[in-house]
Amino acid sequence: EIVLTQSPATLSLSPGERATLSCRASQSVAIYLAWYQQKPGQAPRLLIYDTSKRATGIPARFSGSGSGTDFTLTISSLEPADFAVYYCQQRMNWPLTFGGGTKVEIK
Amino acid sequence: EVHLLESGGGLLQPGGSLRLSCAASGFTFNTYAMSWVRQAPGKGPEWVSRVSETGDTTHYADSVKGRFTISRDKSKNTVYLQMNSLRVEDTAIYYCAKIEAGNYFVDWGQGTLVTVSS
């Protein structure tokens, strides 16, 4: 099973700041990594897939990069709606796995 | 607009059985694989199971293999998750999700809560 480790667990930032979230895989997932955003009481929402492709309707301030085992989600300038929990997910191998999440909170 | 509506959750004792349903609309159902993803209270999502577009191929997480069965009915545009031998650790919100671009979860339902407790 591919284990995804996200860091940091919590990121405290102010609106307008840049957020950089990390996801490290226990073995290579090539480019087959996605990022999801989840707000309290809601289902996760797909933001980025295949490392860097934005899902439909996702603003350009969200971007993804990386390959192999190290990946980054960047939010260029945080807006109030962006404070949430973010998860990465790999589709390289069965079972499909998620990371433990990074909470982006208001400083 | 894609709409996924889960139902069938509830409270039951360890060892019990439950069948979840997911009614799909707003897309051509038999051209997309579907999955169940669960989320225990305060935890991250955990993929549970996937069924192919035709229903011929299924995959399961090790934690549910042999106890859960995923299926789909194209005449009803519905995906099912039959859960047997339920354990306390199966307690979670169970989401139905539409799969695209390989095995990513593009659209999600609102979830149905399953609580297993004695």
Side-chain angles (χ1 to χ4, degrees), chain B residues 63-105:
Chain B
S63 58
V64 307
K65 201 172 292 182
R67 300 187 299 123
F68 290 11
T69 303
I70 191 171
S71 61
R72 63 192 297 161
D73 184 337
K74 65 180 181 181
S75 69
K76 296 181 179 179
N77 281 10
T78 299
V79 182
Y80 302 100
L81 186 68
Q82 177 66 45
M83 305 187 295
N84 298 330
S85 302
L86 281 160
R87 305 168 180 169
V88 171
E89 55 265 34
D90 295 318
T91 294
I93 297 173
Y94 284 73
Y95 294 102
C96 170
K98 171 173 163 277
I99 287 177
E100 286 186 41
N103 283 314
Y104 299 123
F105 311 107

Side-chain angles (χ1 to χ4, degrees), chain A residues 32-33 36 38 44 50 89 94, chain B residues 39 50 101 103-105 108:
Chain A
Y32 303 125
L33 189 105
Y36 298 81
Q38 188 175 31
D50 284 351
Q89 176 243 324
W94 300 104
Chain B
Q39 190 166 26
R50 177 195 187 274
N103 283 314
Y104 299 123
F105 311 107
W108 300 64

Side-chain angles (χ1 to χ4, degrees), chain A residues 31-34 36 38 42-46 49-51 87 89-91 94-100, chain B residues 35 37 39 42-47 50 59-62 95 99 101-106 108-110:
Chain A
I31 63 162
Y32 303 125
L33 189 105
Y36 298 81
Q38 188 175 31
Q42 297 184 16
R45 176 175 71 144
L46 179 67
Y49 66 98
D50 284 351
T51 296
Y87 297 98
Q89 176 243 324
Q90 65 81 21
R91 72 169 184 93
W94 300 104
L96 308 178
T97 51
F98 288 86
Chain B
S35 254
V37 178
Q39 190 166 26
K43 303 292 186 182
E46 177 191 16
W47 169 75
R50 177 195 187 274
H59 292 87
Y60 297 92
D62 285 346
Y95 294 102
I99 287 177
N103 283 314
Y104 299 123
F105 311 107
V106 177
W108 300 64
Q110 88 292 341

Side-chain angles (χ1 to χ4, degrees), chain A residues 66-100:
Chain A
S67 68
T69 60
D70 290 295
F71 299 85
T72 301
L73 173 70
T74 301
I75 310 171
S76 59
S77 178
L78 283 164
E79 297 198 359
D82 300 337
F83 291 92
V85 181
Y86 293 82
Y87 297 98
C88 55
Q89 176 243 324
Q90 65 81 21
R91 72 169 184 93
M92 181 70 181
N93 285 344
W94 300 104
L96 308 178
T97 51
F98 288 86

